Amino acid sequence: SQQGEEDPQALSIQEGENATMNCSYKTSINNLQWYRQNSGRGLVHLILIRSNEREKHSGRLRVTLDTSKKSSSLLITASRAADTASYFCFLMDTGRRALTFGSGTRLQVQP
Amino acid sequence: DAGVIQSPRHEVTEMGQEVTLRCKPISGHNSLFWYRQTMMRGLELLIYFNNNVPIDDSGMPEDRFSAKMPNASFSTLKIQPSEPRDSAVYFCASSSNRDRGGYEQYFGPGTRLTVT
C-alpha cells in the first residue's frame, strides 16, 4: 500500500550544507519513520516520530511532523559525503496498515 | 543476534519456474515485512505479518505470489510461476510491535532474483 510520496526525488549538495527532504501522506498515522539505504544494501532505521510529537532530534538529524498537513520533513545538518544514500519514509496508520513510499529521495553529498 | 537472515542471496531462474525466498526474523520480533525493490517501481511493501498472521497483503501483485509464516521464526515468499518482470531485490524485515505502535524495522541483506 503506497499512499504518499517523498520529495525531492533527487538532491545534490556540497559537504557541510544542510539537506532537507519531505514526506507527504494521505491517512491518519500512528507513527512515521525515516530510513536510509546505501546502494545495494538493506534499509537502516534512522528515527521514529509518533503522531503526538512535532519534532525529534538524533545527532545531526531533525525530523518534524505536521499531522494537520499530513507531512514530515527530515533535515540532515552539516552533511558529509557518507550521508550519500537514498532516504525513505515509512508509516504505520491508525488501522495498523503499514505504508511505505516508492523511490525515496536520493541524496548526493559532494566532498 | 545474527540479524534478519534471508536465503538465498542470489537466485537466477527461468521463466515459469517456482521460486521460494526464505526469511528468518530476529528472535523475539513479532512483525515481519516482505518488500520488493526495482529501479522502475522503487520500494514496494508486499505483505506484513503480525504474530504470524497476515495483516495487510494488499501489496502482493497477483495470485502468482504467496507468503506464509508458519511460525515466529520463519517466513517464505513464493512465486509460481515466475516471470521476467518479477526480477528484483526482495527484502525481508522484522520488528517488535507488541502494541499498536510500530517500532523500527531491521532489514535483511535481500535476495536478488533474476528471472530469464
Side-chain angles (χ1 to χ4, degrees):
Chain A
S1 298
Q2 293 175 285
Q3 299 185 20
E5 60 185 37
E6 293 113 334
D7 77 273
Q9 289 190 341
L11 181 60
S12 183
I13 60 174
Q14 296 293 316
E15 205 164 28
E17 294 180 338
N18 296 342
T20 300
M21 52 206 86
N22 305 294
C23 170
S24 59
Y25 57 92
K26 299 178 182 179
T27 187
S28 296
I29 65 168
N30 180 289
N31 67 74
L32 187 145
Q33 303 170 39
W34 284 92
Y35 288 79
R36 183 180 80 187
Q37 183 182 34
N38 290 91
S39 180
R41 309 288 292 272
L43 279 71
V44 175
H45 181 266
L46 295 176
I47 196 165
L48 179 153
I49 186 165
R50 299 191 187 283
S51 59
N52 60 354
E53 297 176 311
R54 292 296 168 259
E55 188 170 311
K56 204 161 183 180
H57 298 254
S58 177
R60 293 184 296 112
L61 305 180
R62 183 174 78 112
V63 169
T64 61
L65 178 64
D66 187 333
T67 53
S68 64
K69 294 181 180 179
K70 296 191 186 308
S71 68
S72 174
S73 66
L74 171 67
L75 168 67
I76 304 174
T77 60
S79 63
R80 305 168 181 169
D83 295 328
T84 294
S86 291
Y87 292 82
F88 295 84
C89 60
F90 172 93
L91 63 87
M92 189 78 70
D93 75 7
T94 53
R96 298 181 71 196
R97 290 186 308 150
L99 307 174
T100 188
F101 308 124
S103 301
T105 294
R106 292 180 297 282
L107 174 65
Q108 177 76 42
V109 181
Q110 307 287 349
Chain B
D1 200 312
V4 176
I5 299 173
Q6 290 187 248
S7 65
R9 294 292 306 277
H10 301 273
E11 176 81 28
V12 180
T13 190
E14 292 184 346
M15 183 173 64
Q17 296 297 307
E18 177 179 295
V19 174
T20 299
L21 311 181
R22 297 174 177 80
C23 176
K24 178 178 170 54
I26 291 173
S27 177
H29 282 186
N30 65 330
S31 291
L32 185 140
F33 304 79
W34 281 102
Y35 294 87
R36 176 173 70 177
Q37 188 174 38
T38 62
M39 289 294 292
M40 291 292 293
R41 295 186 298 267
L43 184 67
E44 302 171 279
L45 176 64
L46 300 178
I47 188 169
Y48 149 49
F49 292 88
N50 195 53
N51 294 323
N52 312 337
V53 175
I55 300 299
D56 184 359
D57 65 354
S58 59
M60 295 286 267
E62 50 199 271
D63 292 345
R64 296 185 299 107
F65 285 68
S66 62
K68 294 182 179 179
M69 192 163 186
N71 57 61
S73 59
F74 184 65
S75 177
T76 59
L77 178 68
K78 186 174 294 186
I79 308 172
Q80 166 63 17
S82 59
E83 297 181 2
R85 61 192 168 121
D86 301 331
S87 297
V89 180
Y90 291 81
F91 289 104
C92 175
S94 71
S95 72
S96 177
N97 184 26
R98 296 193 183 279
D99 61 21
R100 291 184 66 82
Y103 293 94
E104 62 179 280
Q105 295 174 59
Y106 293 79
F107 279 73
T111 293
R112 183 172 296 278
L113 173 65
T114 303
V115 183
T116 60

